[in-house]
Amino acid sequence: MLRSFGLLAVIAAMLSIPSMAPAAAAEPAAQPAEVDCNKCHAALTVRIKVVHAAVPMGCPSCHSGIAEALKVPHKKTNTITKGLSAEQPELCYGCHDKAKFTKKTVHAAVGMGCTGCHNPHASNNEKLLVAAVPDLCFNCHDKAEFSRKNVHAAVQMGCLTCHNPHSSDDPGLLAKVQYNVCFDCHDGVSKQPHAIAGFSQKGHPIGLPKKERKGKKETLADVKDPKREGKLFSCASCHNPHSSDNVKLFRYPAKKAMELCSNCHKY
């Protein structure tokens, strides 16, 4: 039987007929070895307190423009810095909800790129910040404005106590409507006459929207600040919300509340 099978194979080869002998199994295609970026870039994440969740997802998830990572220096397949998959902040919107960064008032820092405030790999500060708050904020905001003789306690608690660092539907990137930000700590102000008690049962206005009539319809209208063009009237009209050289954080020179009146009211 074996001799007959061998004879058939010889005849088939002579006649260009496919051999009936079993074919050898094909070798599997070689798979490219996965590149371990940590061999060169371990310092970006090792022994650091907070690591960006994107790092365990793999470097190509953000750096898809890096070609032939085993070759140094790396070659790029695009023109974006560091071979990123997209420019900032669009790159970050792949994981982070864009709606939180595109409200009515957007922090200028967002347009400058997320890595201006956040380390994209790891940091010893919360939220991957490149420095702790408020020192981080002083990179752009004049520290002198926050360190006058009398400093608002909220500043010492951190800028994020009152402000949203990315975007807000309220002026000044406030975390909520202006007067409600203040009422969180100064709730007594909303429950009793303020500033001119004894002259008015209602006290001085503190920026709550007032009712106005348009035709037969009554609506709420924001009160404008008479001294600061383009600003709404609020607690910040009389008090500096950050720091002041005057008592009670008064915005204008005064030793007592009544001395503030002439700044807006002419006699």
Side-chain angles (χ1 to χ4, degrees), residues 37-194:
C37 301
N38 280 326
K39 287 184 177 180
C40 296
H41 302 288
L44 294 177
T45 58
V46 173
R47 297 188 182 90
I48 300 180
K49 186 177 179 181
V50 183
V51 177
H52 192 184
V55 171
M57 294 165 58
C59 303
S61 62
C62 292
H63 298 274
S64 63
I66 296 295
E68 301 181 40
L70 289 173
K71 292 185 178 181
V72 179
H74 301 315
K75 292 184 178 180
K76 298 193 304 179
T77 59
N78 61 27
T79 58
I80 302 176
T81 304
K82 299 186 182 299
L84 291 172
S85 309
E87 294 284 7
Q88 298 180 58
E90 292 299 327
L91 171 68
C92 304
Y93 295 154
C95 294
H96 300 277
D97 183 4
K98 186 174 182 178
K100 295 181 178 180
F101 301 82
T102 54
K103 293 177 181 176
K104 186 176 180 180
T105 304
V106 179
H107 193 184
V110 172
M112 295 162 62
C114 306
T115 52
C117 294
H118 301 275
N119 189 306
H121 302 113
S123 171
N124 285 319
N125 300 304
E126 62 176 352
K127 305 292 185 182
L128 295 166
L129 293 174
V130 297
V133 175
D135 289 336
L136 172 68
C137 305
F138 294 153
N139 287 328
C140 295
H141 300 277
D142 185 3
K143 187 174 182 178
E145 297 291 327
F146 301 80
S147 53
R148 294 191 177 102
K149 183 178 179 180
N150 299 302
V151 179
H152 192 185
V155 171
Q156 298 169 342
M157 293 165 61
C159 308
L160 305 187
T161 303
C162 298
H163 301 276
N164 188 309
H166 301 122
S167 72
S168 170
D169 287 328
D170 295 294
L173 290 169
L174 290 174
K176 58 182 73 174
V177 176
Q178 296 179 32
Y179 46 84
N180 282 333
V181 170
C182 301
F183 292 165
D184 280 347
C185 295
H186 306 281
D187 59 331
V189 172
S190 64
K191 298 175 182 178
Q192 59 189 9
H194 186 65

Side-chain angles (χ1 to χ4, degrees), residues 173-249:
L173 290 169
L174 290 174
K176 58 182 73 174
V177 176
Q178 296 179 32
Y179 46 84
N180 282 333
V181 170
C182 301
F183 292 165
D184 280 347
C185 295
H186 306 281
D187 59 331
V189 172
S190 64
K191 298 175 182 178
Q192 59 189 9
H194 186 65
I196 54 173
F199 293 89
S200 168
Q201 291 183 346
K202 295 182 178 179
H204 194 279
I206 51 179
L208 276 69
K210 65 179 180 179
K211 291 182 178 181
E212 64 175 18
R213 295 187 65 83
K214 290 186 176 181
K216 294 184 178 180
K217 185 178 181 181
E218 198 171 64
T219 62
L220 290 177
D222 291 322
V223 183
K224 307 299 186 220
D225 190 317
K227 290 289 291 183
R228 300 183 301 157
E229 187 176 355
K231 302 283 188 180
L232 294 179
F233 188 84
S234 68
C235 303
S237 296
C238 293
H239 303 275
N240 190 309
H242 300 123
S243 72
S244 171
D245 288 327
N246 305 304
V247 296
K248 298 184 180 296
L249 293 169

